[in-house]
Amino acid sequence: MSAGARRAALVTAVAFAVVAGCAGRRLQDGVFRSEHGFRVTVPGPAWHVVDGSRAELELRRADGAAGMLANATCRPDTVRRDFGLLERHLLLGLRDRATLEEGEGRVAGRRAAHLLVEGRPRDGDDRVRIESYVLKDGHCVYDLLYVAPTDAFDSGRPDFSRFVQSFVME
């Protein structure tokens, strides 16, 4: 397997192994509208929708070196969980973790937990970075996630910032 193929497989496996949700994908003019009451904009032409994803919207950069997603989980037991537990759930399967940034921010006018970590996937040795925002309302928990190998992470971070800023609850 080539390095590029391994990298694409790694990005997909790490970012999306723990995310569930099976909503249909509705993308029009670069804007995704979720059945769970949010919309988000694809951050640019280098990002392509991944068909068959368990996340509501999964994007992969054309070079295969990075991925991002937007997902909602709308179960009462999930909404009742605190942000720390929700963040840890997103990172299941990531070993040798180091937290690089942790705090709060605002996304779509709501409080959001923000986390940037680095680690190794359960079934690999290459280090990856994962940046996430987790927010919730009375009905759903919303996850926005970006993952890339450490050497490719910074090149996609501005795109992820645009992705997060485009998130709107409807």
Side-chain angles (χ1 to χ4, degrees):
M1 179 183 284
S2 72
R6 278 194 316 271
R7 181 175 275 186
L10 172 69
V11 166
T12 299
V14 169
F16 313 113
V18 299
V19 177
C22 298
R25 283 139 181 82
R26 290 178 306 283
L27 190 66
Q28 183 175 7
D29 297 325
V31 177
F32 171 80
R33 285 186 164 71
S34 167
E35 294 174 357
H36 294 110
F38 73 86
R39 74 175 186 264
V40 66
T41 303
V42 175
W47 294 91
H48 303 282
V49 174
V50 175
D51 292 325
S53 174
R54 293 185 308 173
E56 288 191 68
L57 177 66
E58 177 183 341
L59 302 173
R60 179 140 338 112
R61 199 164 61 196
D63 64 7
M68 63 179 75
L69 68 78
N71 195 64
T73 304
C74 302
R75 294 189 312 258
D77 60 319
T78 303
V79 173
R80 285 191 297 269
R81 294 179 184 153
D82 67 40
F83 281 112
L85 183 60
L86 294 168
E87 286 177 322
R88 285 190 300 277
H89 179 76
L90 280 177
L91 301 175
L92 289 174
L94 191 65
R95 59 189 173 86
D96 302 328
R97 279 195 299 248
T99 300
L100 305 176
E101 295 177 17
E102 185 173 18
E104 288 186 9
R106 306 284 298 169
V107 176
R110 295 190 177 273
R111 176 179 166 238
H114 174 247
L115 190 62
L116 175 63
V117 297
E118 186 174 307
R120 289 177 181 22
R122 181 179 320 152
D123 57 353
D125 291 321
D126 296 332
R127 293 189 73 75
V128 296
R129 284 193 182 158
I130 299 174
E131 184 168 14
S132 68
Y133 287 89
V134 178
L135 61 149
K136 57 185 178 175
D137 61 16
H139 306 287
C140 299
V141 173
Y142 306 92
D143 301 309
L144 302 170
L145 191 100
Y146 167 58
V147 62
T150 56
D151 62 345
F153 185 83
D154 288 340
S155 66
R157 203 168 184 196
D159 287 345
F160 183 60
S161 180
R162 282 193 301 280
F163 185 70
V164 170
Q165 290 172 4
S166 76
F167 183 88
V168 175
M169 299 177 78
E170 300 184 312

